[in-house]
Amino acid sequence: MLKRHILLTVFVLLIDIAGSAAARAEAKPLHTTTDWDIRPSLMFDTLCALNFLSGDEYYLKFYQSDYDRLAPQLNPKERAAFTGLKQRIKDQNGGIISAQLALFFSATDAESLDDMIRVVEDSSGMQRNLKATPYYSDDDWKLYEASRGDLEVALKALKRIHFQADWEKQARPSVEKSRGAIVQDLPKYNIIPKIESVLGLPSPSNKITVYLLYYSEPHGIKITGTRFLTHYSYPFRIVLRNAIHEMMHPPYDLAHDADLRASLQSLRSDRFLMDKVEHHNQSFGYNTLEGLEEEDCVQALEQILAESYDVGGDPRRYWKEQDDGIHVLAVALYSLMKQQHFPQNNEAFPVFLNRMIRSGALSNGRIQELNHAFFAN
């Protein structure tokens, strides 16, 4: 759950170069409510299906029967296109097909397969929209451009085998049934004000759109705006935690906070942490120090807020098992947050994080020490 180092998120949650977080908050009032929109999406489910249709063993354990139903309908050229997407995006660049493409397509108004094909044939509008957000990078766009040929073949193949009709029959009924249950309870949770409180600045919106999907397992995926993708089968508490988690990406804005950026880079000297970055299953994502740092900061924050809603669960079991135990920085940060009763005195998380690194609380082997103490209790 909750993967995605490539999930580039809106940089609105940071200390301004020219003034304090409080000064920026005064310019835009904090929210007092949370509005929820819960819906299915053919487009995002299609992009997630690309994961298992590539033949990737990591996803076949979730979707073997769907692969067995759909893949035999593809001809050799079409199968090669699906495989090409995996080789280029995942194998060569350490990304996740669904996460990368869902982010890009969320900057369009596409809904149907025909819409998606038109976007791939002429992606200038997508590029223009992405450039208007902090999500755009030249390197990511070059990777998308290099993948467009295979993506076009793959989407046209899905149209040819009537994937949309298959989705309506095989996927949508389960999604709608889950939606009916979730929509009754999720609106009871007013999470935006708490998120704004710990991050120190207002969210770009108090409306959260949750896309319930059939083919997104095992990921939760942040896309543009206050929107995210989650799996229809996840228990209610997981969907709620997904919402808390994804709305906090990123928990800082390193583009405008050189001091924190330098502090986080200093953790590169921690061999215990770097061992997790360099030696883990790349299918999990988090294949750079920066990606793991952001994810672990958000995981620690998520646990703190989840506990305030009585959905904290067992953090020791979770971090021992999640992604084969790579989230050691999350464990260390959470331990320090509990010790110091974060949040208190209106200290925003970026300030707290920088203070913990600069004070030595996360230096000189302390991440490993905090992990040993956490799991020993």
Side-chain angles (χ1 to χ4, degrees):
M1 164 180 95
L2 314 174
K3 320 289 187 199
R4 293 126 324 330
H5 78 283
I6 64 176
L7 299 181
L8 306 172
T9 47
V10 182
F11 293 122
V12 295
L13 305 173
L14 233 206
I15 300 175
D16 195 296
I17 332 177
S20 68
R24 291 184 66 187
E26 288 176 4
K28 184 179 179 182
L30 298 177
H31 295 99
T32 59
T33 61
T34 303
D35 293 337
W36 296 92
D37 182 9
I38 306 155
R39 59 174 70 178
S41 171
L42 168 68
M43 181 182 76
F44 291 124
D45 247 335
T46 300
L47 296 171
C48 288
L50 299 176
N51 287 329
F52 74 84
L53 286 171
S54 72
D56 190 334
E57 293 291 337
Y58 181 72
Y59 297 99
L60 289 181
K61 62 180 177 245
F62 303 105
Y63 297 109
Q64 185 69 59
S65 62
D66 299 284
Y67 179 84
D68 292 343
R69 183 180 71 255
L70 295 169
Q73 302 179 56
L74 303 173
N75 63 43
K77 178 183 177 182
E78 292 166 343
R79 284 196 293 271
F82 286 98
T83 302
L85 290 171
K86 173 184 179 293
Q87 291 174 342
R88 191 174 297 105
I89 295 175
K90 180 179 180 179
D91 298 341
Q92 297 173 14
N93 289 279
I96 297 172
I97 297 172
S98 56
Q100 181 72 67
L101 294 179
L103 176 67
F104 276 36
F105 273 83
S106 70
T108 75
D109 58 3
E111 294 182 358
S112 68
L113 268 169
D114 284 335
D115 293 338
M116 297 171 72
I117 291 168
R118 282 193 289 270
V119 168
V120 175
E121 290 175 337
D122 178 4
S123 299
S124 58
M126 173 195 281
Q127 184 181 30
R128 183 168 56 253
N129 291 341
L130 282 170
K131 281 188 172 181
T133 77
Y135 291 74
Y136 182 84
S137 80
D138 287 335
D139 287 343
D140 287 342
W141 187 256
K142 288 176 182 177
L143 177 57
Y144 169 76
E145 284 285 359
S147 304
R148 275 178 64 194
D150 284 337
L151 182 56
E152 182 177 350
V153 172
L155 294 178
K156 288 182 175 178
L158 292 178
K159 180 180 179 181
R160 183 184 64 77
I161 68 173
H162 306 290
F163 177 81
Q164 184 163 341
D166 185 89
W167 178 82
E168 292 284 354
K169 178 181 178 181
Q170 300 289 336
R172 186 162 192 160
S174 297
V175 173
E176 291 288 4
K177 182 177 179 181
S178 177
R179 178 185 177 278
I182 291 173
V183 77
Q184 297 179 32
D185 293 322
L186 204 52
K188 300 175 184 177
Y189 292 85
N190 186 21
I191 70 172
I192 290 293
K194 281 195 176 182
I195 290 171
E196 292 177 336
S197 175
V198 297
L199 293 180
L201 285 175
S203 170
S205 171
N206 72 330
K207 180 180 179 179
I208 300 175
T209 301
V210 183
Y211 291 99
L212 287 182
L213 304 183
Y214 189 84
Y215 292 122
S216 61
E217 200 170 14
H219 303 307
I221 299 174
K222 180 69 169 65
I223 55 176
T224 56
T226 50
R227 303 180 293 165
F228 72 97
L229 319 181
T230 193
H231 195 256
Y232 82 93
S233 72
Y234 294 160
F236 174 80
R237 66 178 184 83
I238 298 300
V239 177
L240 175 60
R241 289 189 61 140
N242 280 175
I244 293 169
H245 180 104
E246 302 302 350
M247 294 308 104
M248 289 192 290
H249 272 292
Y252 38 61
D253 180 359
L254 301 185
H256 295 99
D257 193 338
D259 191 43
L260 179 56
R261 186 168 66 246
S263 293
L264 287 167
Q265 278 298 312
S266 73
L267 297 182
R268 193 171 293 277
S269 63
D270 190 299
R271 292 312 309 162
F272 181 67
L273 175 61
M274 289 305 299
D275 180 68
K276 303 302 181 183
V277 175
E278 295 166 357
H279 304 101
H280 73 272
N281 184 342
Q282 289 205 347
S283 293
F284 299 149
Y286 323 124
N287 297 317
T288 64
L289 173 63
E290 293 78 10
L292 187 60
E293 284 175 333
E294 179 178 328
E295 175 64 16
D296 280 20
C297 287
V298 172
Q299 284 200 14
L301 284 164
E302 173 202 339
Q303 182 61 34
I304 293 292
L305 292 192
E307 290 172 2
S308 74
Y309 290 110
D310 297 322
V311 291
D314 182 351
R316 289 180 180 82
R317 179 179 177 183
Y318 175 76
W319 276 315
K320 184 177 181 180
E321 298 175 354
Q322 178 71 359
D323 298 332
D324 292 342
I326 68 172
H327 299 291
V328 296
L329 180 58
V331 170
L333 275 171
Y334 172 75
S335 299
L336 292 173
M337 288 172 162
K338 297 294 282 187
Q339 291 173 16
Q340 304 213 5
H341 307 290
F342 177 87
Q344 64 175 341
N345 302 322
N346 296 318
E347 184 180 38
F349 175 74
V351 179
F352 173 85
L353 174 62
N354 201 28
R355 182 166 63 84
M356 290 300 96
I357 299 174
R358 293 294 185 180
S359 69
L362 284 171
S363 304
N364 301 317
R366 284 289 293 151
I367 295 176
Q368 186 172 19
E369 291 174 11
L370 288 165
N371 272 261
H372 286 169
F374 179 77
F375 289 112
N377 292 336

